[in-house]
């Protein structure tokens, strides 16, 4: 997951930001392996939009199972980077 973010995240959208930046993301992987219910918090709207774009590029996942039944899984992905 980190490789995907590193490869696809466009840090050029980080206007007027310096230092360490943290973007908090949370999403669900549904019973079909699709990412749904994406929530993003970032210091700038441009960073939120870029994060949503990068998450939309993720491939489908293998759905989670609990007690042998396919179920939705909530996943948190913090994105932290340093702007110099």
């Amino acid at each position: 997951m980190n490789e995907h973010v590193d490869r696809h995240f466009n840090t050029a959208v980080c206007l007027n930001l310096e230092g360490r930046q943290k973007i908090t993301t949370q999403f669900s992987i549904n019973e079909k392996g699709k990412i749904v219910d994406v929530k993003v918090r970032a210091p700038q709207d441009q960073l939120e939009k870029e994060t949503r774009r990068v998450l939309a590029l993720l491939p489908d996942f293998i759905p989670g199972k609990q007690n042998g039944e396919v179920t939705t899984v909530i996943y948190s992905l913090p994105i932290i980077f340093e702007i110099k």
Side-chain angles (χ1 to χ4, degrees):
M1 189 99 47
N2 289 332
E3 285 181 25
H4 175 82
V5 173
D6 288 344
R7 190 176 321 127
H8 295 287
F9 199 93
N10 179 9
T11 55
V13 301
C14 306
L15 304 174
N16 303 321
L17 292 178
E18 294 180 354
R20 187 176 178 188
Q21 302 298 315
K22 182 174 182 179
I23 303 167
T24 305
T25 68
Q26 182 179 1
F27 53 88
S28 297
I29 300 171
N30 69 12
E31 295 88 357
K32 295 180 181 179
K34 305 276 185 195
I35 294 176
V36 295
D37 301 327
V38 176
K39 297 175 185 153
V40 179
R41 286 189 11 196
Q44 284 189 347
D45 288 341
Q46 292 92 338
L47 288 176
E48 286 187 18
K49 288 178 186 175
E50 179 63 10
T51 302
R52 289 180 189 279
R53 183 190 72 81
V54 170
L55 291 177
L57 295 174
L58 283 168
D60 290 348
F61 290 87
I62 297 170
K65 287 188 177 184
Q66 184 173 15
N67 298 327
E69 292 187 31
V70 176
T71 185
T72 298
V73 176
I74 297 173
Y75 193 87
S76 296
L77 177 68
I79 300 171
I80 301 170
F81 57 93
E82 186 90 24
I83 300 174
K84 296 179 181 184

